Amino acid sequence: MMTAMSSVNAADMNATAAFIDGFLVPHNQARNAVGVGPLQWDRKLANYARNYARQRRGDCLLQHSDSPFGENIFWGSGHGWTPSQAVAAWIDEKKWFDYANNICTGPDCTHYTQVVWRTTANVGCAKIICNSGDTFITCNYDPPGNYIASRPY
Protein backbone atom coordinates (compact mmCIF):
# COMPACT_ATOMS: atom_id res chain seq x y z
CA MET A 1 0.00 0.00 0.00
CA MET A 2 1.45 3.38 -1.02
CA THR A 3 1.04 6.31 1.35
CA ALA A 4 0.84 9.89 0.16
CA MET A 5 4.32 10.57 1.51
CA SER A 6 5.91 7.59 -0.20
CA SER A 7 4.62 8.83 -3.55
CA VAL A 8 6.65 12.04 -3.15
CA ASN A 9 10.13 11.62 -4.59
CA ALA A 10 13.16 13.01 -2.80
CA ALA A 11 13.50 15.98 -5.16
CA ASP A 12 9.96 17.09 -4.33
CA MET A 13 10.66 17.12 -0.58
CA ASN A 14 11.92 20.68 -0.98
CA ALA A 15 8.37 21.77 -1.82
CA THR A 16 6.62 20.51 1.33
CA ALA A 17 5.47 23.05 3.88
CA ALA A 18 7.11 21.14 6.76
CA PHE A 19 10.43 21.02 4.92
CA ILE A 20 10.31 24.75 4.17
CA ASP A 21 9.27 25.59 7.74
CA GLY A 22 12.21 23.55 9.02
CA PHE A 23 14.41 26.18 7.42
CA LEU A 24 12.29 29.33 7.67
CA VAL A 25 11.16 29.13 11.29
CA PRO A 26 14.63 29.04 12.90
CA HIS A 27 16.00 31.59 10.41
CA ASN A 28 13.19 33.99 11.21
CA GLN A 29 13.40 33.41 14.96
CA ALA A 30 17.09 34.38 14.87
CA ARG A 31 16.31 37.41 12.71
CA ASN A 32 13.47 38.52 15.00
CA ALA A 33 15.81 38.25 18.00
CA VAL A 34 18.03 40.99 16.51
CA GLY A 35 15.24 43.10 15.07
CA VAL A 36 15.44 42.35 11.35
CA GLY A 37 12.54 41.31 9.15
CA PRO A 38 11.69 37.76 8.18
CA LEU A 39 12.99 35.91 5.16
CA GLN A 40 10.67 34.62 2.46
CA TRP A 41 11.08 31.25 0.76
CA ASP A 42 12.26 31.61 -2.83
CA ARG A 43 11.76 28.70 -5.22
CA LYS A 44 14.54 29.92 -7.54
CA LEU A 45 17.02 29.87 -4.67
CA ALA A 46 15.75 26.46 -3.53
CA ASN A 47 16.23 25.09 -7.05
CA TYR A 48 19.76 26.50 -7.15
CA ALA A 49 20.49 24.95 -3.74
CA ARG A 50 19.06 21.58 -4.81
CA ASN A 51 21.08 21.53 -8.03
CA TYR A 52 24.27 22.35 -6.16
CA ALA A 53 23.55 19.81 -3.42
CA ARG A 54 23.16 17.13 -6.07
CA GLN A 55 26.66 17.97 -7.31
CA ARG A 56 27.98 17.23 -3.80
CA ARG A 57 26.19 13.84 -3.55
CA GLY A 58 29.33 11.92 -4.51
CA ASP A 59 31.71 13.60 -2.04
CA CYS A 60 29.63 15.58 0.50
CA LEU A 61 32.43 18.18 0.65
CA LEU A 62 31.92 21.44 2.49
CA GLN A 63 32.79 23.36 -0.64
CA HIS A 64 30.87 26.49 -1.58
CA SER A 65 29.32 26.86 -5.00
CA ASP A 66 30.29 29.68 -7.30
CA SER A 67 27.00 31.54 -7.01
CA PRO A 68 26.03 35.20 -6.91
CA PHE A 69 24.03 34.46 -3.73
CA GLY A 70 24.95 34.26 -0.09
CA GLU A 71 25.42 30.64 0.91
CA ASN A 72 25.58 28.49 4.02
CA ILE A 73 26.50 24.82 3.86
CA PHE A 74 26.29 22.06 6.45
CA TRP A 75 27.58 18.50 6.67
CA GLY A 76 26.43 15.99 9.24
CA SER A 77 27.55 12.42 9.81
CA GLY A 78 24.69 10.06 9.02
CA HIS A 79 21.31 10.68 7.50
CA GLY A 80 19.25 11.83 10.50
CA TRP A 81 19.99 15.56 10.32
CA THR A 82 17.05 17.94 9.92
CA PRO A 83 16.89 21.37 8.30
CA SER A 84 16.30 23.01 11.70
CA GLN A 85 19.41 21.31 13.12
CA ALA A 86 21.55 22.70 10.31
CA VAL A 87 20.16 26.21 10.82
CA ALA A 88 20.66 25.86 14.58
CA ALA A 89 24.34 25.04 13.98
CA TRP A 90 24.72 28.23 11.95
CA ILE A 91 22.87 30.30 14.55
CA ASP A 92 25.04 28.82 17.32
CA GLU A 93 27.95 30.79 15.85
CA LYS A 94 26.36 33.89 17.41
CA LYS A 95 28.49 33.13 20.49
CA TRP A 96 31.54 34.10 18.43
CA PHE A 97 30.12 37.31 17.00
CA ASP A 98 31.22 40.46 18.81
CA TYR A 99 28.64 43.00 17.70
CA ALA A 100 30.34 45.98 19.37
CA ASN A 101 33.52 45.41 17.36
CA ASN A 102 31.81 43.73 14.37
CA ILE A 103 34.23 40.78 14.38
CA CYS A 104 34.29 37.03 14.85
CA THR A 105 36.05 36.06 18.06
CA GLY A 106 36.01 32.31 17.41
CA PRO A 107 36.54 29.94 14.52
CA ASP A 108 33.70 31.35 12.40
CA CYS A 109 30.54 33.40 12.70
CA THR A 110 29.82 34.14 9.04
CA HIS A 111 27.09 31.50 8.79
CA TYR A 112 25.30 33.27 11.65
CA THR A 113 25.78 36.73 10.17
CA GLN A 114 24.39 35.54 6.83
CA VAL A 115 21.30 34.19 8.60
CA VAL A 116 20.62 37.59 10.21
CA TRP A 117 21.94 39.92 7.48
CA ARG A 118 19.50 42.86 7.51
CA THR A 119 19.19 43.35 3.74
CA THR A 120 18.72 39.69 2.88
CA ALA A 121 15.08 39.07 2.01
CA ASN A 122 14.89 35.61 0.43
CA VAL A 123 16.20 32.13 1.12
CA GLY A 124 16.00 28.76 -0.57
CA CYS A 125 17.52 25.55 0.74
CA ALA A 126 18.06 21.89 -0.04
CA LYS A 127 19.03 18.71 1.76
CA ILE A 128 20.47 15.54 0.28
CA ILE A 129 21.87 12.30 1.58
CA CYS A 130 25.28 11.75 0.05
CA ASN A 131 26.46 8.44 -1.34
CA SER A 132 28.38 8.00 1.93
CA GLY A 133 25.11 8.14 3.88
CA ASP A 134 25.97 11.53 5.36
CA THR A 135 23.84 14.67 5.13
CA PHE A 136 24.58 17.76 3.04
CA ILE A 137 22.40 20.85 3.52
CA THR A 138 22.75 24.19 1.78
CA CYS A 139 20.87 27.49 1.84
CA ASN A 140 21.21 30.36 -0.61
CA TYR A 141 20.38 33.96 0.26
CA ASP A 142 19.39 36.95 -1.83
CA PRO A 143 20.56 39.61 -1.62
CA PRO A 144 23.73 38.14 -0.15
CA GLY A 145 25.29 39.39 3.08
CA ASN A 146 28.65 39.33 4.81
CA TYR A 147 30.11 42.46 3.31
CA ILE A 148 33.44 43.36 4.88
CA ALA A 149 33.26 46.30 7.31
CA SER A 150 29.43 46.25 7.24
CA ARG A 151 27.28 45.33 10.20
CA PRO A 152 24.79 42.50 9.72
CA TYR A 153 22.08 44.30 11.74
Side-chain angles (χ1 to χ4, degrees):
M1 178 173 165
M2 188 186 293
T3 66
M5 190 60 165
S6 65
S7 67
V8 176
N9 70 38
D12 293 334
M13 287 300 293
N14 287 330
T16 67
F19 182 84
I20 292 168
D21 283 349
F23 287 108
L24 273 181
V25 169
H27 270 92
N28 287 335
Q29 287 171 338
R31 293 172 67 80
N32 185 57
V34 296
V36 295
L39 296 175
Q40 299 297 314
W41 188 259
D42 185 292
R43 186 174 292 170
K44 174 185 78 169
L45 293 172
N47 286 338
Y48 182 90
R50 183 171 45 251
N51 290 335
Y52 182 66
R54 287 176 178 161
Q55 293 175 39
R56 298 271 59 98
R57 188 179 306 277
D59 57 27
C60 221
L61 288 178
L62 284 175
Q63 179 178 322
H64 285 279
S65 71
D66 186 26
S67 84
F69 311 115
E71 185 172 68
N72 281 342
I73 54 177
F74 171 90
W75 169 87
S77 178
H79 65 275
W81 295 92
T82 66
S84 60
Q85 289 172 315
V87 179
W90 299 329
I91 293 168
D92 189 52
E93 292 178 1
K94 180 178 185 174
K95 65 188 172 203
W96 295 313
F97 180 61
D98 176 351
Y99 182 81
N101 294 304
N102 197 35
I103 60 169
C104 291
T105 61
D108 194 7
C109 67
T110 58
H111 301 100
Y112 167 70
T113 54
Q114 177 59 81
V115 167
V116 298
W117 200 264
R118 71 184 173 285
T119 58
T120 299
N122 301 296
V123 66
C125 307
K127 171 188 169 182
I128 62 149
I129 303 303
C130 299
N131 295 342
S132 64
D134 295 336
T135 302
F136 183 89
I137 295 174
T138 182
C139 288
N140 290 97
Y141 302 86
D142 191 42
N146 288 332
Y147 292 101
I148 295 171
S150 295
R151 290 192 181 278
Y153 52 89

